[in-house]
Amino acid sequence: MPDNDPSGSHGVAALFSHGRLTAIPRKPARREQLLVHLARTLFEPDRTYSEREVNEALLTVHDDYSALRRYLVVAGLLTRPKDGSSYRRTLTG
């Protein structure tokens, strides 16, 4: 069956064991797939999150929540103002 999901979530499942991310991929393309998956599954569109809420959501999948948060922001999947007071998911769909 072909994978029609642009986020590659079927392939992303291989990165998880018992609901936890086993490692953050080093390869940029693979990491991008993971980040899109996390943005879509952990964060609702049109909702503002505090840094604490983002950290708590990311902690449910991996202990290095700060690296995941940074990757999500750098990838443009989460945005935040300069003061870092809040976060919003930029992905739609």
Side-chain angles (χ1 to χ4, degrees):
M1 176 180 238
D3 183 3
N4 294 327
D5 184 352
S7 71
S9 59
H10 293 297
V12 169
L15 300 172
F16 289 84
S17 176
H18 304 288
R20 301 278 297 165
L21 180 63
T22 58
I24 299 171
R26 292 180 186 256
K27 292 184 179 181
R30 191 74 166 135
R31 187 169 52 235
E32 181 75 15
Q33 285 181 330
L34 169 68
L35 296 173
V36 168
H37 171 76
L38 292 177
R40 286 186 174 160
T41 58
L42 296 177
F43 304 103
E44 298 173 23
D46 302 321
R47 179 174 169 211
T48 301
Y49 293 87
S50 68
E51 184 170 310
R52 181 178 183 170
E53 289 173 311
V54 171
N55 292 346
E56 288 173 354
L58 294 171
L59 196 54
T60 65
V61 294
H62 196 272
D63 290 337
D64 195 353
Y65 59 87
S66 61
L68 289 173
R69 185 185 67 237
R70 183 174 53 251
Y71 285 134
L72 285 162
V73 169
V74 168
L77 299 170
L78 286 182
T79 59
R80 66 177 176 200
K82 286 186 179 187
D83 67 2
S85 61
S86 63
Y87 293 80
R88 288 182 67 87
R89 185 181 113 178
T90 58
L91 270 180
T92 56

